[in-house]
Amino acid sequence: MKKFPPLSKDFPHFLIGGDYNPEQWVTEEGILDRDIELMKEGNCNEFTMGIFAWDTLEPEEGVFDFSLYDERLDTIYKNGGRVILATPTASHPRWMNEKYPEIMLTNNLGIRHEYHSRVFQCLRNPIFKEKARIIDEKLAERYGNHPAVIGWHLNNEYRAHDCYCPECRRQFREWVRKKYNNDLDLLNHEWWTPFWSHRYQSFDQIDPPNAQIGETSITGLSLDWRRFVSDSVVDFVKLESDAIRKYSSRPITTNCMGRFDRYDHRKMAKHLDFYSDDSYPSWFSSTRTISDQCATWAQISSFCRNMKGGKPYILMESAPGINAWQNSFRPNKSTEAQLFEAMLFVANGAESVLYFQWRKGRGGGEKYHGAIVDHLGTSEHRVFRAVKQVGAMLKKMDGVIGTGIDAKVAITHDYETLWALNSYINHWEGLGGRSGKQNGYMETINALFSACWKQNIPADVIGYEEAFEKYKVVFMPSPYIMTEALANKIKTYVKNGGTLVTFHMTAMVNENDLAYLGGMPACGLREVFGLRVDETSDYSTSNCAIKNSVLYGKKSYPVTANADITVLEGAEKLGEYESDFFRGASAVSKNVYGKGVAYHVAFCPDQSFADDFTSDLFGDLNISAPSAVTGDEFVRVVCREGDGEEYYFVLNCSETEQTYTVHEPLTDLLSGNAVTGTHTLPAFGFAVLKK
Ligand code: GLA
Ligand code: ZN
């Protein structure tokens, strides 16, 4: 594997620092100077600036004041720091709202939101778009080549609100007209509108799906509306990135929110140069072990780095200490947990440990949210010292920059499938009958990723557009929406020797949620999997009187959600249902197709099945964990590699002491010592070992 280029050629180091809002501090004497001293003292090197600075930068319409930012950027650079500069569009100034109230979101009852909070604008509004373009270009023109600026941060956690303003309604109609080639017959067919007498006579009659309507009627409309709202975000990201690129060649990102699913992050990521995420572990769940939580965060890291083809990503925000908004998990983090958390993200592909926030404000809703600099204001604070320790470690890790994770396993994740299978986004958008949690789409992904993670087998979470060929196995959870193109991709991959595993509810509808006729899985996939699915049962409701289970190998596994009832057409049965009227029907099957193998798991797997099934499969396919380092049950070993270098991150994902054993001579990157043999890791302990 080759190393990826660093985010900044001139600054090929791990970034540590975080959100910095000097505009909140101009009235408080001495603070701005102190920030610079503390940056150096705390081993920090980065400030993310300008996120909420629009009313500082443009105090009146068309009047710009860059004096504070001119001074800050110069001073930070002179003192060795760097800046990721934000466009301030997540919150516009009050004067703008007074003059152009129509830039605010309108809800589904037609009521325009009042000015409050943030990320509250209509992203389709032409005035707001123009105002955003102007301030973005001004910033790019002024700071686009400033030596402190190593990257751009668009907006802040784009939300993808559904906006029902007249402009959005009009644009939605145009979007639909374009998609269906101005062909009403095609639209009425694809949306199946004779259902409940909903035929359209004109594109002008189209309205967004609305809670007011009550029951789910046209599911194709709901799905297209989600696509339209998602496209609104993508278009706005493009507008902002184009404005920056006009004057600056520094790389662009935006801070995403993990698996937030209201817009298609992969479509958006095409307009970004690097991907970023805000991740907030708390570690204080009474229902999920530290180990399980680590699996979730590792999965999110995998998801993030695979947004840009495996390239390292930026951890843009995380909490130093307490988190102000996570109501259920409020205990503060120990220093050990803070250090561990940093290494967990770095191990899985982050090239920074950035925090929200640099300094706790004196007022406002986040004044008690963790910060590198507390109200105490000095370096004596425990949290400051913890961050300083993270910085000291990262200084020794320049070699890790640009390394990637060489996964032989992929798990697909697709936004449109998620929208089609889940009604939880907005209940009235439910796509009818098959909607809801029982579909277990994310549950399947989670179980598969955790299974890989527990076996120290790296897995990439990828979109359908990624090449399958580099993987020995592709897990494809419930590809409910199937297109000819995707079916052909599956066929080619398996025919040429790949192993593909699919799950319940495969290939049932076309891209407009029209059920296929003539047998599922559709689009010629019956032949690939060697079976047919005529029915899908559901055991998910808590008061369901009937239980079922699957016998696979010598063990029985519970069926707690959807379960396809299969008819084999050539596939070999590896597991079967144990009860209900279809007892004995295949629940796990294998079919040779060309040079490859296609597996079908007919039910939503629980963790124990995912663990055992993947372990069998990895055995068959010779997919194995790193052999240089092994450890106890809760020790995870992740290898980042590139240009012949290998770095083993050894993480104790538990609160109990664990041991690990080094099987070949490695060097401890943090102490510089040679290591072999067996060692102990305390709770949340870790080591970084170089080959
Ligand atoms: C988000 C936002 C930040 C801040 C933090 C608090 O990630 O981007 O502005 O509100 O949450 O955790
Ligand atoms: Zn709108």
Side-chain angles (χ1 to χ4, degrees), residues 230-239 263-264 267-268 271:
S230 173
D231 282 0
S232 308
V233 181
V234 178
D235 290 348
F236 196 82
V237 168
K238 182 168 185 315
L239 177 145
Y263 68 91
D264 189 328
K267 283 192 177 153
M268 182 208 55
H271 302 290

Side-chain angles (χ1 to χ4, degrees), residues 434-449:
R434 286 273 164 244
S435 308
K437 207 169 176 289
Q438 71 270 25
N439 295 323
Y441 188 66
M442 286 311 299
E443 287 75 3
T444 304
I445 294 177
N446 294 343
L448 290 167
F449 190 92

Side-chain angles (χ1 to χ4, degrees), residues 50-118:
I51 301 179
F52 296 109
W54 201 340
D55 73 350
T56 298
L57 301 170
E58 191 179 358
E60 286 171 52
E61 186 167 19
V63 176
F64 298 92
D65 178 357
F66 293 108
S67 53
L68 176 66
Y69 273 63
D70 285 353
E71 183 279 323
R72 286 286 83 185
L73 262 60
D74 290 349
T75 308
I76 291 166
Y77 183 68
K78 269 187 223 135
N79 286 278
R82 294 293 186 277
V83 170
I84 294 180
L85 191 58
T87 66
T89 52
S91 187
H92 60 265
R94 268 184 192 272
W95 59 254
M96 195 183 292
N97 212 67
E98 270 160 47
K99 186 150 181 209
Y100 310 106
E102 65 273 37
I103 67 180
M104 292 295 279
L105 278 164
T106 297
N107 75 11
N108 63 309
L109 302 173
I111 297 168
R112 199 162 61 209
H113 285 242
E114 286 171 14
Y115 185 91
H116 70 112
S117 190
R118 56 179 173 176

Side-chain angles (χ1 to χ4, degrees), residues 438-680:
Q438 71 270 25
N439 295 323
Y441 188 66
M442 286 311 299
E443 287 75 3
T444 304
I445 294 177
N446 294 343
L448 290 167
F449 190 92
S450 295
C452 298
W453 171 249
K454 284 196 265 178
Q455 295 168 68
N456 290 330
I457 307 266
D460 283 351
V461 181
I462 60 168
Y464 292 156
E465 62 287 343
E466 238 28 81
F468 289 175
E469 274 62 36
K470 70 175 187 208
Y471 300 106
K472 283 192 179 176
V473 55
V474 174
F475 292 98
M476 195 177 244
S478 309
Y480 171 69
I481 296 179
M482 186 55 60
T483 60
E484 288 295 338
L486 182 58
N488 287 335
K489 184 169 180 160
I490 293 170
K491 289 178 204 166
T492 308
Y493 172 67
V494 181
K495 208 181 266 170
N496 293 335
T499 297
L500 189 131
V501 186
T502 193
F503 294 81
H504 58 291
M505 298 179 68
T506 289
M508 295 181 74
V509 296
N510 79 355
E511 64 166 41
N512 298 317
D513 203 39
L514 272 191
Y516 282 113
L517 302 180
M520 321 293 184
C523 300
L525 292 174
R526 271 165 73 181
E527 202 195 326
V528 177
F529 294 100
L531 54 73
R532 200 177 83 223
V533 174
D534 289 350
E535 305 173 55
T536 301
S537 196
D538 172 19
Y539 301 91
S540 66
T541 49
S542 53
N543 56 358
C544 178
I546 301 178
K547 298 257 177 290
N548 208 339
S549 55
V550 164
L551 180 69
Y552 167 79
K554 292 196 170 63
K555 271 167 79 177
S556 181
Y557 301 88
V559 179
T560 54
N562 278 346
D564 284 350
I565 305 178
T566 53
V567 179
L568 293 187
E569 297 177 332
E572 179 193 343
K573 183 162 84 175
L574 303 179
E576 63 183 39
Y577 290 108
E578 293 187 294
S579 45
D580 215 342
F581 65 89
F582 51 101
R583 187 175 61 242
S586 173
V588 187
S589 62
K590 171 182 180 178
N591 192 48
V592 175
Y593 180 78
K595 292 189 211 144
V597 183
Y599 288 85
H600 185 264
V601 175
F603 64 108
C604 178
D606 77 328
Q607 193 59 56
S608 63
F609 177 82
D611 291 348
D612 294 345
F613 177 73
T614 55
S615 157
D616 291 348
L617 197 60
F618 295 156
D620 290 352
L621 295 170
N622 285 322
I623 297 172
S624 51
S627 56
V629 187
T630 56
D632 291 345
E633 184 185 359
F634 296 117
V635 172
R636 299 285 83 87
V637 180
V638 186
C639 178
R640 278 188 70 164
E641 58 180 279
D643 295 351
E645 294 166 27
E646 288 176 19
Y647 298 89
Y648 292 93
F649 289 80
V650 188
L651 303 155
N652 178 3
C653 299
S654 79
E655 286 173 300
T656 55
E657 207 175 84
Q658 298 276 292
T659 68
Y660 68 95
T661 305
V662 179
H663 302 281
E664 48 187 272
L666 301 176
T667 308
D668 185 318
L669 206 58
L670 303 177
S671 69
N673 298 332
V675 259
T676 45
T678 299
H679 302 266
T680 303

